[in-house]
Amino acid sequence: MESILRDIVQRYIKESGSVVSILQDTQDRFGYIPHEAISYFSNELNIPESRFFGVATFYSQFYLKPRGKNIITACCGTACHVRGVDKTVSAVKRALELRPDEDTTDDNQFTLEKVACLGFCSIAPVVLVNGEVFGKAAAEKIVRKINSIRKSEDEE
Ligand code: FES
């Protein structure tokens, strides 16, 4: 890990990069931003860790924890809430055997995330599975999709 972080620091210094570009590079390399990386950058560049965390938590594209190979995105905006997305989320959590405080399965195959309105309110509740839009996303429909992903990955 350290050689990758050193490369990112060198590029930052040479190209007068920004904290955002360091975080983007880091996420591109690791899939998320490890805490150790932030500590390393903070020491090497004499920038407080709080600045990295401030930027990383401001932009929703940054992840401070590893994410699963498959991403399930549940819209929790008003229309989806009213149309029962909570029931779908509960069923997905059960199907993935996620504990209440977890969003990624132990095998890193699935991450369940909740977001604000995705802009498809007319077909609420809306859930994305790896970017594929499922409107009127009943729990059974999404759990079936999860099972089909698991099955196809088991066959690989
Ligand atoms: S509230 Fe879910 S798509 Fe708008």
Side-chain angles (χ1 to χ4, degrees):
M1 177 189 265
E2 192 168 332
S3 73
I4 293 171
L5 299 179
R6 203 175 313 118
D7 287 350
I8 293 171
V9 166
Q10 289 307 315
R11 201 166 37 249
Y12 172 85
I13 292 168
K14 277 189 205 145
E15 298 171 10
S16 306
S18 63
V19 166
V20 172
S21 59
I22 290 179
L23 294 174
Q24 281 170 333
D25 276 5
T26 306
Q27 187 159 288
D28 287 348
R29 302 299 278 276
F30 298 105
Y32 75 108
I33 301 163
H35 191 153
E36 306 92 281
I38 289 179
S39 298
Y40 181 88
F41 297 140
S42 177
N43 284 332
E44 292 294 313
L45 299 167
N46 201 22
I47 298 172
E49 285 191 12
S50 59
R51 188 147 160 235
F52 288 100
F53 281 113
V55 172
T57 54
F58 180 79
Y59 293 104
S60 60
Q61 89 241 31
F62 291 128
Y63 305 105
L64 294 168
K65 291 192 304 190
R67 301 178 86 215
K69 182 176 170 196
N70 299 286
I71 307 296
I72 299 163
T73 308
C75 176
C76 293
T78 305
C80 290
H81 177 72
V82 168
R83 298 244 175 106
V85 76
D86 290 350
K87 193 174 164 209
T88 304
V89 167
S90 296
V92 167
K93 281 188 127 218
R94 271 195 309 278
L96 297 177
E97 298 177 4
L98 291 171
R99 288 183 289 276
D101 59 330
E102 284 182 329
D103 53 16
T104 298
T105 55
D106 291 340
D107 60 3
N108 280 332
Q109 286 300 303
F110 292 91
T111 290
L112 170 64
E113 61 184 16
K114 297 177 187 177
V115 297
C117 179
L118 289 164
F120 303 110
C121 307
S122 62
I123 55 170
V126 176
V127 174
L128 309 183
V129 179
N130 294 328
E132 183 182 351
V133 178
F134 288 82
K136 303 189 188 302
E140 305 74 40
K141 199 191 281 189
I142 304 303
V143 169
R144 240 190 339 266
K145 180 67 181 176
I146 289 168
N147 290 337
S148 91
I149 291 170
R150 275 187 171 143
K151 191 171 174 219
S152 65
E153 289 181 354
D154 286 348
E155 290 167 359
E156 287 177 6

